[in-house]
């Protein structure tokens, strides 16, 4: 469970394992979870696109991931149902931005789950911190810092839980 070659994290592997417990074939279970993540990514991008620029921006936001040909280069992703953590991590990061205006704690949890889907999601943290900082532009800086404590704790919570379980297992 802690092999260095496996970089897809528990935020992707645990739902796959849950489907396997129901008797679904491992390959089909994995592809169902990642395909659902791809659909969630597209829906989240449509919501953000509509907020930014209306229906045409929503269409453009959804069209971009659909036009990427990952099989042409050296990308390990060959399709939207490959059992890798990149697509679920992107979907979780996009949904963090969708829910950020109303529920900052849930956005923080989604970012933490994105990190546990794929560690490269750590690159999203500065953008999330800026989005969190500018969420309430009229607040004084001290209230902004206090408002960011719970979302920051929620970002760290999934990683702390995984590391505590790994420590207990070892």
């Amino acid at each position: 469970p802690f092999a260095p070659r496996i970089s897809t994290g528990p935020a992707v592997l645990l739902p796959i394992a849950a489907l396997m417990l129901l008797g679904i074939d491992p390959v089909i279970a994995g592809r169902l979870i990642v395909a659902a993540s791809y659909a969630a990514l597209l829906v989240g991008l449509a919501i953000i696109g509509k907020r930014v620029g209306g229906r045409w921006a929503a269409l453009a936001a959804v069209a971009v991931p659909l036009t990427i040909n990952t099989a042409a280069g050296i990308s390990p992703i060959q399709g939207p149902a490959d059992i890798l953590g990149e697509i679920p991590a992107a979907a979780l990061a996009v949904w963090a931005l969708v829910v950020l205006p109303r529920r900052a704690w849930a956005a923080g949890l989604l970012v933490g789950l994105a990190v546990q889907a794929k560690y490269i999601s750590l690159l999203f943290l500065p953008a999330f911190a800026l989005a969190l900082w500018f969420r309430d532009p009229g607040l004084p800086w001290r209230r902004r810092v206090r408002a960011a404590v719970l979302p920051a704790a929620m970002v760290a919570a999934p990683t702390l839980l995984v590391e505590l379980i790994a420590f207990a297992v070892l």
Side-chain angles (χ1 to χ4, degrees):
F2 309 112
R5 295 179 309 234
I6 300 173
S7 63
T8 300
V12 178
L13 298 177
L14 285 176
I16 294 170
L19 289 181
M20 289 170 55
L21 280 174
L22 297 174
I24 297 176
D25 181 76
V27 174
I28 292 174
R31 290 189 174 184
L32 282 173
I33 294 298
V34 180
S37 299
Y38 194 74
L41 173 66
L42 295 177
V43 170
L45 287 172
I47 291 170
I48 290 175
K50 187 168 181 173
R51 283 182 187 171
V52 169
R55 290 184 301 191
W56 288 105
L59 178 64
V62 170
V64 169
L66 293 174
T67 60
I68 295 173
N69 183 6
T70 56
I74 58 170
S75 172
I77 303 173
Q78 300 300 314
D82 286 340
I83 304 171
L84 297 170
E86 286 86 355
I87 291 172
L92 288 163
V94 164
W95 275 96
L97 293 177
V98 169
V99 302
L100 180 63
R102 297 191 189 265
R103 293 179 186 88
W105 67 269
L109 181 61
L110 289 169
V111 171
L113 290 172
V115 169
Q116 284 307 310
K118 200 73 168 179
Y119 281 139
I120 197 164
S121 299
L122 288 170
L123 295 173
F124 180 67
L125 288 179
F128 179 71
L130 285 174
L132 190 60
W133 181 260
F134 291 114
R135 182 174 67 115
D136 298 318
L139 291 179
W141 70 271
R142 288 183 187 186
R143 288 196 57 204
R144 287 186 197 193
V145 170
R146 270 187 269 146
V149 170
L150 180 59
M154 296 306 285
V155 168
T159 300
L160 289 174
L161 181 64
V162 167
E163 294 303 323
L164 282 172
I165 291 171
F167 182 71
V169 168
L170 292 175

